[in-house]
Amino acid sequence: MLTGLGSCLPLGVVSNAELALTVDTSDEWVRTRTGISARRHVSESVDVMDLATAAGRNALIAAELASVDALVLATSTPRRPCPAGAPEIASRLGLGPIPAFDVMAMCSGFLYALSTAAGLISAGVAQSVLVVAAETYSRILNPDDRATAVIFGDGAGAAVLRRGEPDEPGALLAMDLGSDGSRSDLIHVPGSGGEGPYLVMEGRKVYRQAIEKISASSMRVIKDCGWATEDVDLLVPHQANARIVQAVAQRLGIAEERTVCAIAEVGNTAAASIPLALSTAMGSGALAPGHRTVLTAFGGGLTWGSAALIWPRVRSVHSEL
Ligand code: UT7
């Protein structure tokens, strides 16, 4: 069951107006087409491991735990291709020689990591797992590509899962994961050659796929729980574009007031987007203990995933770097 949330954002705020000084875009276009007003970018001295470590530490503080039995890091913007970042985070947090590894499912990474953590607990490998999702897309954005430069931002979120009773609030009641590798080119980073390497995205096609896959995956977990869409108190979708969030809510028949849209100040933070949206929703009071909650994400791969849970009485701790 989920027992604590943490998050960390870089201090550097980049507004649409600032971006428009170097990218061929406008504040009006970005706000109306994506719902984004600003995003965070790391400074030169901060990297994805720093954000991940801070978010992980915050989640441990929130869960009032000094140690866990395993650590899973979700990132698609690692500091280096190998080794995995998770062992270094475990070491920086003083967690000892615990199992620690990365999962890469782009924007669906948090849900993939969460289900991996739940699997480690069910298999008896761990009693508690720290799940961290951290991204620094600013490091792989082509500054001349207005379609990606305006959307993505940096950030990290984390959650602690621990063994609990299946009927306790915070237990993962249903999970759904999927992929379609035949469309892997829709969002990818070319292997080599040219400048960068930078992220490349076919925005329109991704947009359509995101709405379709997120809606279907959400429906699967809602049904698996024996709920109807009217029973969902809060839908927490991946924050890729406010228009995608609205379209998914409309397709599922879930009112906008019961759907989290927390993209305006942070943009699309890929794997970190769901834990960051959860922290924002807890802060505003939109997410409260007892709420029947559905988390759902879509990303490159293509990958998608959803989870349903009754929101537990947990704390969320945030910091900036
Ligand atoms: O995180 C998971 C994966 N990512 C996503 O889910 C993102 C999904 N895609 C999107 O959010 C949207 O497709 C974008 C925000 C990337 C683009 O918005 P759109 O409404 O789909 O625009 P479009 O690509 O259809 O382009 C419409 C017009 C084009 O101009 P013309 O050809 O009609 O003259 C683009 O060149 O808007 C232009 N355009 C822009 N104009 C100003 C595209 N990006 C920009 C921009 N500023 N940043």
Side-chain angles (χ1 to χ4, degrees), residues 25 29 33 107 146 151 187 203-204 238 240-241 243 268:
T25 192
W29 193 96
R33 305 298 293 173
C107 301
R146 61 184 181 173
I151 300 182
I187 319 176
R204 276 268 119 203
H238 166 49
N241 181 326
R243 286 161 53 226
N268 178 348

Side-chain angles (χ1 to χ4, degrees), residues 83-125:
E88 184 179 325
I89 298 167
S91 167
R92 287 205 208 177
L93 291 173
L95 297 176
I98 58 170
F101 57 95
D102 294 4
V103 300
M104 213 275 255
M106 295 194 82
C107 301
S108 316
F110 180 71
L111 287 172
Y112 268 72
L114 201 64
S115 101
T116 304
L120 289 172
I121 292 172
S122 329
V125 173

